[in-house]
């Protein structure tokens, strides 16, 4: 029992550092894209910032990358605004770019994806990884992240399978 405790503490500290990095980058991605509330798509982009590199490798396996994902997300946002009759997004972008203060408030799908990712890692008795985040976000059936994956020509089930394979090592 005493040998497990230090390992659990080490994993806990590693997870806390990863969470801090992930949440800071999630918020930064929302700011870069001019979104008020960080969503699953921002969490997905932020997964690339984790030092384990698994999110990047998942997308490489699938023939894509972070830049293509960001562009697909931007396209989804642009298409949604155009469908709402907002052709020039300059005013909207400026209005949404505000300094953030206080705690991070993720959208409901982003919170659920994060919970799912950490639960999978905990069940496997390992630190959570970018691949866990990718898998969990790809499991979200509707929303910007799902549409962005579709624009990239990626099947959600293929993304989930690639992320599972990467998380196993």
């Amino acid at each position: 029992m005493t040998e497990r405790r230090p390992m659990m503490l080490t994993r806990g500290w590693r997870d806390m550092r990863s969470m801090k990095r992930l949440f800071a980058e999630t918020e930064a991605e929302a700011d870069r894209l001019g979104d008020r509330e960080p969503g699953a798509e921002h969490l997905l982009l932020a997964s690339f910032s984790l030092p384990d590199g698994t999110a990047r490798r998942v997308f490489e396996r699938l023939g894509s990358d972070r830049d293509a994902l960001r562009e697909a997300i931007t396209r989804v946002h642009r298409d949604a605004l155009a469908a709402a009759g907002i052709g020039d997004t300059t005013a909207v972008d400026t209005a949404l770019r505000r300094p953030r203060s206080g705690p991070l408030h993720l959208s409901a799908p982003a919170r659920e994806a994060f919970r799912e990712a950490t639960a999978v890692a905990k069940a496997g008795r390992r630190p959570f990884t970018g691949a866990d985040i990718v898998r969990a976000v790809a499991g979200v059936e509707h929303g910007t992240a799902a549409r962005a994956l579709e624009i990239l020509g990626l099947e959600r089930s293929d993304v989930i399978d690639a992320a599972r394979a990467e998380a196993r090592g």
Side-chain angles (χ1 to χ4, degrees):
M1 181 81 172
T2 55
E3 288 185 34
R4 277 185 74 155
R5 191 165 181 81
M7 172 109 65
M8 289 171 57
L9 289 174
T10 302
R11 184 173 59 227
W13 281 111
R14 191 176 327 141
D15 278 355
M16 285 180 23
R17 282 193 310 265
S18 294
M19 285 180 211
K20 181 178 178 181
R21 181 181 210 143
L22 180 70
F23 291 150
E25 189 61 22
T26 298
E27 190 169 54
E29 287 293 350
D31 289 343
R32 283 183 203 108
L33 292 171
D35 293 322
R36 187 171 290 145
E37 181 180 55
E41 67 273 20
H42 307 109
L43 189 65
L44 182 58
L45 284 168
S47 69
F48 284 81
S49 72
L50 294 177
D52 61 65
T54 58
R56 177 186 47 78
R57 289 193 298 271
V58 168
F59 275 80
E60 285 175 353
R61 284 181 188 223
L62 298 167
S64 194
D65 62 21
R66 185 181 195 172
D67 292 338
L69 176 62
R70 185 178 285 112
E71 180 53 39
I73 291 167
T74 300
R75 182 174 158 195
V76 171
H77 287 170
R78 225 180 9 247
D79 291 351
L81 290 171
I86 303 171
D88 178 16
T89 62
T90 308
V92 173
D93 288 345
T94 303
L96 292 175
R97 293 182 200 275
R98 294 189 177 94
R100 295 189 190 273
S101 62
L104 175 65
H105 294 285
L106 296 172
S107 69
R111 279 193 313 270
E112 185 56 36
F114 178 74
R115 281 188 204 118
E116 172 79 16
T118 55
V120 165
K122 185 176 181 179
R125 296 183 177 183
R126 59 175 177 72
F128 82 92
T129 66
D132 295 318
I133 298 293
V134 171
R135 187 198 57 73
V137 172
V140 177
E141 191 173 344
H142 302 289
T144 301
R147 288 192 300 274
L149 293 174
E150 186 178 296
I151 286 171
L152 292 173
L154 302 176
E155 293 289 329
R156 289 179 27 254
S157 60
D158 292 341
V159 176
I160 291 168
D161 290 345
R164 279 186 182 133
E166 187 61 43
R168 281 193 297 259

